Amino acid sequence: MDLNASLFLVRPEVILSFSALVLLLLSAWRSEAGRLASILAVAALVGAGAYVVQFMAADTDALAFDGLIGNDAFGNFAKILIYFAAAISLMIAPRFLEKMGAMRAEYPVLILLAAIGMGIMVSATDLVTLYIGLELNSLAAYVLASFARYDGRSAEAGLKYFVLGALASGILLFGMSLLYGFSGSTSFSGIGAALNGEISLGMIFGIVFVLSGLAFKISAAPFHMWTPDVYEGAPTPVTVFFASAPKVAASALLIRIVIEAFGNEAMVWQQIVIVVALMSIIIGAVGAIGQQNLKRLLAYSSINNIGFILIGLAAGTEQGVAGMLVYLAIYVAMTLGSFIVLMQLKAHDGSYRETFGDIAGLSKTRPALAAVFAIFMFSLAGIPPLFGFWGKLVVFQAAVAANLLPLAVVGIAASVIGAFYYLKVVKVMYFDEPADVIAPSDDAVLSWTGGIMAAAVSPLGYLAIPILAALSAQAARALF
């Protein structure tokens, strides 16, 4: 394929790259133009997303740059979720960061650079492009975590994320070197061909190290240790971004490399995925029980949800991958909405609050906000008829269909543990004495965005099931 054809297939990344460079010049010229840069960055994401939708509608399936990167329905589905989450993260940030004195034009630039890296991640068909995309996303994320540079918690979050992220990248890179050394290829298809037979001990070690490095990126247990501290310390708009877009990108990358590169040796990776899924579900549920900080609670919730998502991957089937993609789409809406509610927990003196004591009796002082937060908590718990129930249902169905009934049973039982701390939030809001700490919201963007997300995860979300099921099935077929 010639250069022009390859550039056409990566046009979304080209648009975002050009936009990031232009906004970088803008930030050097006028660093205070944060709002303008955010608006332009959202426009760039919409423009890139339009091409992704076009590729999705045409069911494009082609390789670019001599097989280093692919354009297929699977990658395009993930990009739609990534660009959506990134755009929301940009829309809700300016007012919050301005109050902290941290809003600068570099923020949307970093979001765009991270989005470019994530786009490369989900489209990578080679270990080289995998690592380039992963590190482009990670380097931008390290800076974003410490973006409020005069806030000690933010600086600590950035440092912890950087040190542990560098360790995980080293583990991943070592695993990749083993895969290349024992397979003689860096392409996923080449590795898959080398695994079609007797597997060597070196290849097994390579698979283990690669899966361990990627487990860190999706904050799956036992590689989750950074998540609560980073989520709590980073500015909340940054936490919104971390909890949504990178989770989609890393999960999609994990799906692609497992199915395309390791698919022929299911007995090797399936056991690892099952153990990591169960550990994530249980540790995420139990770890959240004693939390008093709501951002830390949602961090453990994300670990718990990643466990449920991995149940679909453990199935190793087209139905399992489609179920994972459905769950990811619902998870993005639930997570964005939950953190948007936290951003509206502002006291009368203008300070932001994030503990259980601050939301005591919230239903009596801010009934609309309490109702929206309750919807997200019930949906995250998987309580019908909210849309979060459907996400859990499809991955459990895939596990049962793949003869993994014990895994599904344990997952269902562990989801009861997780329901405890979600219901605790609702109990504190509706049954405790009012603390009367939270002032009425004066941010229309947050109120409207939170309301739209709440509607998406309410029973109204079931109206989107035919579209979501069709798109996820189309994306899953691209891998099989």
Short mmCIF file of all heavy atoms in Angstrom, two decimals, residues 125-192:
data_model
loop_
_atom_site.label_atom_id
_atom_site.label_comp_id
_atom_site.label_asym_id
_atom_site.label_seq_id
_atom_site.Cartn_x
_atom_site.Cartn_y
_atom_site.Cartn_z
N THR A 125 -1.05 -3.37 15.13
CA THR A 125 -0.98 -4.79 14.74
C THR A 125 0.45 -5.30 14.83
O THR A 125 0.78 -6.34 14.29
CB THR A 125 -1.50 -4.98 13.30
OG1 THR A 125 -0.77 -4.11 12.42
CG2 THR A 125 -2.98 -4.64 13.20
N ASP A 126 1.30 -4.54 15.52
CA ASP A 126 2.71 -4.87 15.64
C ASP A 126 3.20 -4.38 17.00
O ASP A 126 2.70 -3.38 17.52
CB ASP A 126 3.50 -4.19 14.51
CG ASP A 126 4.92 -4.71 14.39
OD1 ASP A 126 5.78 -4.25 15.18
OD2 ASP A 126 5.18 -5.55 13.52
N LEU A 127 4.15 -5.07 17.57
CA LEU A 127 4.67 -4.70 18.89
C LEU A 127 5.31 -3.31 18.88
O LEU A 127 5.28 -2.61 19.89
CB LEU A 127 5.70 -5.73 19.36
CG LEU A 127 5.19 -7.16 19.62
CD1 LEU A 127 6.34 -8.07 19.99
CD2 LEU A 127 4.13 -7.16 20.70
N VAL A 128 5.88 -2.91 17.75
CA VAL A 128 6.53 -1.59 17.66
C VAL A 128 5.49 -0.48 17.79
O VAL A 128 5.64 0.44 18.60
CB VAL A 128 7.31 -1.46 16.34
CG1 VAL A 128 7.90 -0.06 16.21
CG2 VAL A 128 8.42 -2.50 16.29
N THR A 129 4.42 -0.54 16.99
CA THR A 129 3.39 0.49 17.07
C THR A 129 2.63 0.41 18.40
O THR A 129 2.19 1.43 18.92
CB THR A 129 2.41 0.36 15.90
OG1 THR A 129 2.08 -1.01 15.70
CG2 THR A 129 2.98 0.93 14.64
N LEU A 130 2.50 -0.79 18.93
CA LEU A 130 1.88 -0.94 20.25
C LEU A 130 2.63 -0.09 21.27
O LEU A 130 2.02 0.68 22.03
CB LEU A 130 1.91 -2.42 20.66
CG LEU A 130 1.37 -2.86 22.03
CD1 LEU A 130 1.06 -4.34 21.99
CD2 LEU A 130 2.37 -2.62 23.16
N TYR A 131 3.95 -0.22 21.29
CA TYR A 131 4.74 0.48 22.30
C TYR A 131 4.77 1.98 22.06
O TYR A 131 4.72 2.76 23.02
CB TYR A 131 6.16 -0.08 22.33
CG TYR A 131 6.90 0.26 23.60
CD1 TYR A 131 6.56 -0.37 24.80
CD2 TYR A 131 7.90 1.22 23.62
CE1 TYR A 131 7.21 -0.06 25.98
CE2 TYR A 131 8.57 1.53 24.79
CZ TYR A 131 8.22 0.89 25.97
OH TYR A 131 8.87 1.21 27.14
N ILE A 132 4.82 2.39 20.80
CA ILE A 132 4.80 3.83 20.50
C ILE A 132 3.50 4.46 21.00
O ILE A 132 3.51 5.51 21.66
CB ILE A 132 4.97 4.06 18.99
CG1 ILE A 132 6.38 3.69 18.54
CG2 ILE A 132 4.66 5.51 18.63
CD1 ILE A 132 6.58 3.72 17.04
N GLY A 133 2.37 3.84 20.68
CA GLY A 133 1.09 4.38 21.13
C GLY A 133 0.96 4.38 22.63
O GLY A 133 0.49 5.36 23.23
N LEU A 134 1.40 3.30 23.27
CA LEU A 134 1.29 3.18 24.72
C LEU A 134 2.10 4.26 25.43
O LEU A 134 1.63 4.90 26.38
CB LEU A 134 1.77 1.79 25.15
CG LEU A 134 1.50 1.37 26.58
CD1 LEU A 134 0.01 1.20 26.82
CD2 LEU A 134 2.22 0.07 26.90
N GLU A 135 3.31 4.49 24.96
CA GLU A 135 4.17 5.47 25.62
C GLU A 135 3.73 6.90 25.33
O GLU A 135 3.86 7.78 26.19
CB GLU A 135 5.63 5.26 25.20
CG GLU A 135 6.26 4.03 25.82
CD GLU A 135 6.09 3.99 27.33
OE1 GLU A 135 6.59 4.89 28.02
OE2 GLU A 135 5.43 3.05 27.83
N LEU A 136 3.22 7.17 24.14
CA LEU A 136 2.70 8.51 23.86
C LEU A 136 1.54 8.83 24.79
O LEU A 136 1.45 9.94 25.34
CB LEU A 136 2.24 8.60 22.40
CG LEU A 136 1.65 9.93 21.94
CD1 LEU A 136 2.61 11.08 22.21
CD2 LEU A 136 1.29 9.89 20.46
N ASN A 137 0.67 7.87 25.01
CA ASN A 137 -0.43 8.06 25.95
C ASN A 137 0.09 8.20 27.37
O ASN A 137 -0.34 9.09 28.12
CB ASN A 137 -1.39 6.87 25.85
CG ASN A 137 -2.40 6.85 26.96
OD1 ASN A 137 -3.02 7.86 27.27
ND2 ASN A 137 -2.58 5.71 27.61
N SER A 138 1.03 7.35 27.76
CA SER A 138 1.51 7.34 29.14
C SER A 138 2.26 8.61 29.50
O SER A 138 2.06 9.18 30.58
CB SER A 138 2.41 6.12 29.37
OG SER A 138 1.70 4.91 29.19
N LEU A 139 3.12 9.08 28.61
CA LEU A 139 3.89 10.29 28.91
C LEU A 139 2.99 11.50 29.10
O LEU A 139 3.22 12.34 29.98
CB LEU A 139 4.92 10.54 27.79
CG LEU A 139 6.06 9.52 27.70
CD1 LEU A 139 6.91 9.78 26.47
CD2 LEU A 139 6.92 9.58 28.96
N ALA A 140 1.94 11.60 28.26
CA ALA A 140 0.98 12.69 28.45
C ALA A 140 0.22 12.52 29.76
O ALA A 140 -0.05 13.50 30.48
CB ALA A 140 0.00 12.73 27.27
N ALA A 141 -0.11 11.27 30.12
CA ALA A 141 -0.87 11.01 31.35
C ALA A 141 -0.06 11.37 32.59
O ALA A 141 -0.62 11.88 33.57
CB ALA A 141 -1.29 9.55 31.39
N TYR A 142 1.25 11.12 32.58
CA TYR A 142 2.06 11.45 33.74
C TYR A 142 2.02 12.95 34.02
O TYR A 142 1.95 13.37 35.18
CB TYR A 142 3.52 11.02 33.53
CG TYR A 142 3.71 9.54 33.26
CD1 TYR A 142 4.76 9.09 32.46
CD2 TYR A 142 2.85 8.60 33.80
CE1 TYR A 142 4.95 7.74 32.21
CE2 TYR A 142 3.02 7.24 33.55
CZ TYR A 142 4.07 6.83 32.75
OH TYR A 142 4.25 5.49 32.49
N VAL A 143 2.09 13.74 32.97
CA VAL A 143 2.04 15.20 33.14
C VAL A 143 0.66 15.64 33.59
O VAL A 143 0.51 16.51 34.45
CB VAL A 143 2.44 15.91 31.83
CG1 VAL A 143 2.43 17.42 32.01
CG2 VAL A 143 3.82 15.45 31.36
N LEU A 144 -0.39 15.04 33.02
CA LEU A 144 -1.76 15.40 33.40
C LEU A 144 -2.01 15.12 34.87
O LEU A 144 -2.70 15.89 35.55
CB LEU A 144 -2.76 14.63 32.54
CG LEU A 144 -2.95 15.12 31.10
CD1 LEU A 144 -3.75 14.11 30.30
CD2 LEU A 144 -3.64 16.49 31.08
N ALA A 145 -1.49 14.01 35.38
CA ALA A 145 -1.72 13.67 36.79
C ALA A 145 -1.17 14.73 37.73
O ALA A 145 -1.74 14.99 38.79
CB ALA A 145 -1.09 12.31 37.11
N SER A 146 -0.07 15.36 37.34
CA SER A 146 0.54 16.39 38.18
C SER A 146 0.29 17.79 37.63
O SER A 146 1.07 18.71 37.87
CB SER A 146 2.05 16.14 38.30
OG SER A 146 2.65 16.08 37.01
N PHE A 147 -0.82 17.96 36.89
CA PHE A 147 -1.05 19.21 36.19
C PHE A 147 -1.25 20.39 37.15
O PHE A 147 -0.84 21.51 36.87
CB PHE A 147 -2.28 19.08 35.28
CG PHE A 147 -2.34 20.12 34.21
CD1 PHE A 147 -1.48 20.08 33.13
CD2 PHE A 147 -3.25 21.17 34.28
CE1 PHE A 147 -1.52 21.05 32.14
CE2 PHE A 147 -3.31 22.14 33.30
CZ PHE A 147 -2.44 22.08 32.22
N ALA A 148 -1.88 20.14 38.30
CA ALA A 148 -2.03 21.20 39.31
C ALA A 148 -0.73 21.24 40.11
O ALA A 148 -0.63 20.71 41.22
CB ALA A 148 -3.23 20.92 40.20
N ARG A 149 0.27 21.89 39.56
CA ARG A 149 1.64 21.74 40.09
C ARG A 149 1.83 22.35 41.47
O ARG A 149 2.80 22.05 42.16
CB ARG A 149 2.63 22.38 39.10
CG ARG A 149 2.30 23.80 38.71
CD ARG A 149 3.26 24.29 37.64
NE ARG A 149 2.89 25.60 37.14
CZ ARG A 149 3.57 26.25 36.22
NH1 ARG A 149 4.65 25.70 35.70
NH2 ARG A 149 3.18 27.44 35.82
N TYR A 150 0.93 23.25 41.90
CA TYR A 150 1.05 23.84 43.24
C TYR A 150 0.25 23.06 44.28
O TYR A 150 0.19 23.45 45.44
CB TYR A 150 0.60 25.30 43.22
CG TYR A 150 1.43 26.15 42.28
CD1 TYR A 150 0.87 26.74 41.15
CD2 TYR A 150 2.79 26.32 42.51
CE1 TYR A 150 1.64 27.50 40.28
CE2 TYR A 150 3.57 27.08 41.65
CZ TYR A 150 2.99 27.66 40.53
OH TYR A 150 3.76 28.40 39.68
N ASP A 151 -0.36 21.97 43.86
CA ASP A 151 -1.13 21.10 44.75
C ASP A 151 -0.26 19.88 45.08
O ASP A 151 0.14 19.13 44.19
CB ASP A 151 -2.43 20.66 44.07
CG ASP A 151 -3.34 19.85 44.98
OD1 ASP A 151 -2.84 19.33 46.00
OD2 ASP A 151 -4.54 19.72 44.68
N GLY A 152 0.04 19.69 46.37
CA GLY A 152 0.90 18.59 46.77
C GLY A 152 0.35 17.23 46.39
O GLY A 152 1.11 16.33 46.00
N ARG A 153 -0.97 17.06 46.49
CA ARG A 153 -1.57 15.77 46.14
C ARG A 153 -1.39 15.46 44.67
O ARG A 153 -1.14 14.32 44.27
CB ARG A 153 -3.06 15.75 46.49
CG ARG A 153 -3.38 15.83 47.96
CD ARG A 153 -4.80 15.39 48.24
NE ARG A 153 -5.76 16.03 47.36
CZ ARG A 153 -7.03 15.67 47.26
NH1 ARG A 153 -7.51 14.67 47.96
NH2 ARG A 153 -7.86 16.30 46.43
N SER A 154 -1.53 16.47 43.82
CA SER A 154 -1.38 16.28 42.38
C SER A 154 0.06 15.93 42.02
O SER A 154 0.31 15.03 41.21
CB SER A 154 -1.82 17.54 41.63
OG SER A 154 -1.69 17.37 40.24
N ALA A 155 1.02 16.61 42.65
CA ALA A 155 2.44 16.32 42.40
C ALA A 155 2.77 14.89 42.83
O ALA A 155 3.50 14.17 42.14
CB ALA A 155 3.32 17.32 43.14
N GLU A 156 2.22 14.48 43.98
CA GLU A 156 2.45 13.12 44.46
C GLU A 156 1.84 12.09 43.51
O GLU A 156 2.45 11.05 43.22
CB GLU A 156 1.85 12.96 45.85
CG GLU A 156 2.04 11.57 46.45
CD GLU A 156 1.33 11.41 47.78
OE1 GLU A 156 0.76 12.39 48.28
OE2 GLU A 156 1.34 10.27 48.31
N ALA A 157 0.63 12.39 43.01
CA ALA A 157 -0.02 11.47 42.08
C ALA A 157 0.80 11.30 40.81
O ALA A 157 0.97 10.19 40.31
CB ALA A 157 -1.42 11.98 41.74
N GLY A 158 1.31 12.42 40.28
CA GLY A 158 2.11 12.35 39.08
C GLY A 158 3.38 11.55 39.27
O GLY A 158 3.79 10.76 38.41
N LEU A 159 4.04 11.73 40.43
CA LEU A 159 5.28 11.02 40.71
C LEU A 159 5.03 9.51 40.85
O LEU A 159 5.76 8.69 40.29
CB LEU A 159 5.92 11.56 41.98
CG LEU A 159 7.26 10.95 42.38
CD1 LEU A 159 8.29 11.16 41.28
CD2 LEU A 159 7.75 11.54 43.70
N LYS A 160 3.98 9.15 41.60
CA LYS A 160 3.66 7.73 41.77
C LYS A 160 3.30 7.09 40.44
O LYS A 160 3.75 5.97 40.13
CB LYS A 160 2.50 7.58 42.75
CG LYS A 160 2.85 7.82 44.20
CD LYS A 160 1.65 7.61 45.10
CE LYS A 160 2.04 7.79 46.57
NZ LYS A 160 0.88 7.64 47.47
N TYR A 161 2.52 7.79 39.65
CA TYR A 161 2.11 7.25 38.36
C TYR A 161 3.31 7.07 37.45
O TYR A 161 3.43 6.05 36.74
CB TYR A 161 1.09 8.21 37.73
CG TYR A 161 0.27 7.61 36.61
CD1 TYR A 161 0.25 6.25 36.35
CD2 TYR A 161 -0.52 8.43 35.79
CE1 TYR A 161 -0.51 5.71 35.33
CE2 TYR A 161 -1.28 7.91 34.77
CZ TYR A 161 -1.25 6.55 34.54
OH TYR A 161 -2.01 6.02 33.52
N PHE A 162 4.22 8.03 37.47
CA PHE A 162 5.40 7.96 36.61
C PHE A 162 6.30 6.79 37.00
O PHE A 162 6.73 6.00 36.15
CB PHE A 162 6.19 9.26 36.69
CG PHE A 162 7.52 9.21 35.99
CD1 PHE A 162 7.58 9.13 34.61
CD2 PHE A 162 8.69 9.21 36.72
CE1 PHE A 162 8.81 9.07 33.96
CE2 PHE A 162 9.92 9.14 36.08
CZ PHE A 162 9.98 9.07 34.70
N VAL A 163 6.60 6.66 38.31
CA VAL A 163 7.51 5.60 38.76
C VAL A 163 6.92 4.22 38.49
O VAL A 163 7.58 3.34 37.92
CB VAL A 163 7.82 5.78 40.26
CG1 VAL A 163 8.61 4.58 40.78
CG2 VAL A 163 8.61 7.06 40.50
N LEU A 164 5.68 4.00 38.89
CA LEU A 164 5.06 2.69 38.68
C LEU A 164 4.77 2.44 37.20
O LEU A 164 4.87 1.30 36.73
CB LEU A 164 3.77 2.60 39.49
CG LEU A 164 3.97 2.60 41.01
CD1 LEU A 164 2.62 2.66 41.73
CD2 LEU A 164 4.75 1.38 41.46
N GLY A 165 4.42 3.51 36.45
CA GLY A 165 4.20 3.36 35.02
C GLY A 165 5.47 2.98 34.29
O GLY A 165 5.44 2.16 33.35
N ALA A 166 6.59 3.57 34.70
CA ALA A 166 7.88 3.22 34.08
C ALA A 166 8.23 1.76 34.36
O ALA A 166 8.73 1.04 33.48
CB ALA A 166 8.97 4.14 34.61
N LEU A 167 7.94 1.30 35.59
CA LEU A 167 8.18 -0.10 35.92
C LEU A 167 7.34 -1.03 35.05
O LEU A 167 7.83 -2.03 34.51
CB LEU A 167 7.87 -0.34 37.40
CG LEU A 167 7.94 -1.79 37.90
CD1 LEU A 167 9.37 -2.34 37.76
CD2 LEU A 167 7.47 -1.89 39.34
N ALA A 168 6.05 -0.69 34.89
CA ALA A 168 5.16 -1.51 34.07
C ALA A 168 5.59 -1.51 32.62
O ALA A 168 5.53 -2.54 31.94
CB ALA A 168 3.72 -1.01 34.19
N SER A 169 6.05 -0.35 32.12
CA SER A 169 6.52 -0.28 30.73
C SER A 169 7.75 -1.15 30.54
O SER A 169 7.92 -1.79 29.50
CB SER A 169 6.83 1.17 30.36
OG SER A 169 5.65 1.96 30.36
N GLY A 170 8.63 -1.18 31.55
CA GLY A 170 9.81 -2.04 31.47
C GLY A 170 9.44 -3.51 31.43
O GLY A 170 10.01 -4.29 30.66
N ILE A 171 8.46 -3.89 32.26
CA ILE A 171 7.99 -5.29 32.26
C ILE A 171 7.41 -5.64 30.90
O ILE A 171 7.68 -6.71 30.34
CB ILE A 171 6.94 -5.48 33.38
CG1 ILE A 171 7.61 -5.37 34.75
CG2 ILE A 171 6.24 -6.83 33.23
CD1 ILE A 171 6.62 -5.34 35.90
N LEU A 172 6.59 -4.73 30.36
CA LEU A 172 5.97 -4.96 29.06
C LEU A 172 7.02 -5.08 27.96
O LEU A 172 6.96 -5.98 27.11
CB LEU A 172 5.00 -3.82 28.74
CG LEU A 172 4.30 -3.86 27.39
CD1 LEU A 172 3.37 -5.06 27.30
CD2 LEU A 172 3.51 -2.57 27.16
N LEU A 173 8.00 -4.18 27.99
CA LEU A 173 9.04 -4.19 26.96
C LEU A 173 9.89 -5.46 27.03
O LEU A 173 10.27 -6.03 25.99
CB LEU A 173 9.93 -2.96 27.12
CG LEU A 173 10.85 -2.61 25.95
CD1 LEU A 173 10.04 -2.39 24.68
CD2 LEU A 173 11.67 -1.37 26.27
N PHE A 174 10.15 -5.94 28.25
CA PHE A 174 10.91 -7.18 28.39
C PHE A 174 10.11 -8.36 27.81
O PHE A 174 10.67 -9.22 27.11
CB PHE A 174 11.23 -7.43 29.86
CG PHE A 174 12.03 -8.68 30.11
CD1 PHE A 174 13.28 -8.84 29.55
CD2 PHE A 174 11.53 -9.69 30.91
CE1 PHE A 174 14.02 -9.99 29.77
CE2 PHE A 174 12.26 -10.84 31.14
CZ PHE A 174 13.51 -11.00 30.57
N GLY A 175 8.81 -8.38 28.10
CA GLY A 175 7.96 -9.42 27.52
C GLY A 175 7.94 -9.37 26.01
O GLY A 175 7.98 -10.41 25.33
N MET A 176 7.87 -8.16 25.46
CA MET A 176 7.87 -8.01 24.00
C MET A 176 9.18 -8.50 23.39
O MET A 176 9.18 -9.12 22.31
CB MET A 176 7.62 -6.54 23.64
CG MET A 176 6.20 -6.08 23.92
SD MET A 176 6.00 -4.27 23.94
CE MET A 176 6.75 -3.80 22.40
N SER A 177 10.28 -8.22 24.06
CA SER A 177 11.57 -8.68 23.54
C SER A 177 11.65 -10.21 23.54
O SER A 177 12.22 -10.81 22.62
CB SER A 177 12.71 -8.09 24.37
OG SER A 177 12.72 -8.61 25.68
N LEU A 178 11.06 -10.84 24.56
CA LEU A 178 11.03 -12.31 24.59
C LEU A 178 10.16 -12.86 23.45
O LEU A 178 10.52 -13.84 22.79
CB LEU A 178 10.50 -12.79 25.94
CG LEU A 178 11.42 -12.64 27.15
CD1 LEU A 178 10.69 -13.02 28.43
CD2 LEU A 178 12.67 -13.51 26.98
N LEU A 179 9.00 -12.23 23.24
CA LEU A 179 8.13 -12.68 22.15
C LEU A 179 8.84 -12.56 20.81
O LEU A 179 8.76 -13.48 19.96
CB LEU A 179 6.84 -11.85 22.14
CG LEU A 179 5.86 -12.07 23.29
CD1 LEU A 179 4.64 -11.16 23.12
CD2 LEU A 179 5.41 -13.52 23.35
N TYR A 180 9.54 -11.45 20.60
CA TYR A 180 10.27 -11.27 19.33
C TYR A 180 11.40 -12.28 19.21
O TYR A 180 11.62 -12.89 18.15
CB TYR A 180 10.81 -9.85 19.24
CG TYR A 180 11.76 -9.66 18.10
CD1 TYR A 180 11.34 -9.79 16.78
CD2 TYR A 180 13.11 -9.37 18.33
CE1 TYR A 180 12.21 -9.64 15.72
CE2 TYR A 180 14.00 -9.21 17.27
CZ TYR A 180 13.54 -9.35 15.97
OH TYR A 180 14.41 -9.20 14.93
N GLY A 181 12.12 -12.49 20.32
CA GLY A 181 13.27 -13.39 20.27
C GLY A 181 12.88 -14.83 19.96
O GLY A 181 13.59 -15.54 19.24
N PHE A 182 11.74 -15.27 20.50
CA PHE A 182 11.36 -16.67 20.33
C PHE A 182 10.42 -16.91 19.15
O PHE A 182 10.21 -18.06 18.75
CB PHE A 182 10.73 -17.20 21.62
CG PHE A 182 11.73 -17.49 22.70
CD1 PHE A 182 12.05 -16.51 23.62
CD2 PHE A 182 12.36 -18.72 22.78
CE1 PHE A 182 12.98 -16.77 24.63
CE2 PHE A 182 13.29 -18.98 23.77
CZ PHE A 182 13.62 -17.99 24.70
N SER A 183 9.83 -15.82 18.61
CA SER A 183 8.95 -16.00 17.45
C SER A 183 9.59 -15.51 16.16
O SER A 183 9.18 -15.91 15.07
CB SER A 183 7.62 -15.25 17.67
OG SER A 183 7.83 -13.85 17.64
N GLY A 184 10.56 -14.60 16.30
CA GLY A 184 11.22 -14.05 15.11
C GLY A 184 10.41 -13.00 14.41
O GLY A 184 10.71 -12.62 13.28
N SER A 185 9.35 -12.49 15.05
CA SER A 185 8.50 -11.49 14.41
C SER A 185 7.97 -10.54 15.48
O SER A 185 7.79 -10.91 16.64
CB SER A 185 7.33 -12.17 13.69
OG SER A 185 6.43 -11.21 13.18
N THR A 186 7.72 -9.31 15.05
CA THR A 186 7.09 -8.33 15.95
C THR A 186 5.61 -8.14 15.60
O THR A 186 4.90 -7.47 16.36
CB THR A 186 7.79 -6.96 15.88
OG1 THR A 186 7.77 -6.48 14.53
CG2 THR A 186 9.23 -7.06 16.37
N SER A 187 5.15 -8.67 14.49
CA SER A 187 3.74 -8.51 14.12
C SER A 187 2.89 -9.51 14.90
O SER A 187 3.32 -10.62 15.21
CB SER A 187 3.54 -8.71 12.62
OG SER A 187 3.72 -10.07 12.27
N PHE A 188 1.65 -9.11 15.20
CA PHE A 188 0.76 -10.00 15.94
C PHE A 188 0.49 -11.28 15.16
O PHE A 188 0.45 -12.37 15.73
CB PHE A 188 -0.57 -9.28 16.23
CG PHE A 188 -0.45 -8.12 17.18
CD1 PHE A 188 -1.53 -7.28 17.40
CD2 PHE A 188 0.73 -7.85 17.85
CE1 PHE A 188 -1.43 -6.21 18.27
CE2 PHE A 188 0.85 -6.78 18.72
CZ PHE A 188 -0.23 -5.96 18.92
N SER A 189 0.31 -11.14 13.84
CA SER A 189 0.04 -12.33 13.02
C SER A 189 1.25 -13.26 13.01
O SER A 189 1.10 -14.49 13.04
CB SER A 189 -0.33 -11.91 11.60
OG SER A 189 0.72 -11.15 11.01
N GLY A 190 2.46 -12.69 12.96
CA GLY A 190 3.67 -13.50 12.98
C GLY A 190 3.85 -14.23 14.29
O GLY A 190 4.24 -15.41 14.32
N ILE A 191 3.55 -13.56 15.39
CA ILE A 191 3.64 -14.20 16.71
C ILE A 191 2.60 -15.31 16.81
O ILE A 191 2.87 -16.40 17.32
CB ILE A 191 3.45 -13.16 17.83
CG1 ILE A 191 4.60 -12.15 17.81
CG2 ILE A 191 3.36 -13.83 19.20
CD1 ILE A 191 4.39 -10.96 18.71
N GLY A 192 1.38 -15.03 16.30
CA GLY A 192 0.33 -16.03 16.32
C GLY A 192 0.71 -17.27 15.53
O GLY A 192 0.43 -18.41 15.95
#
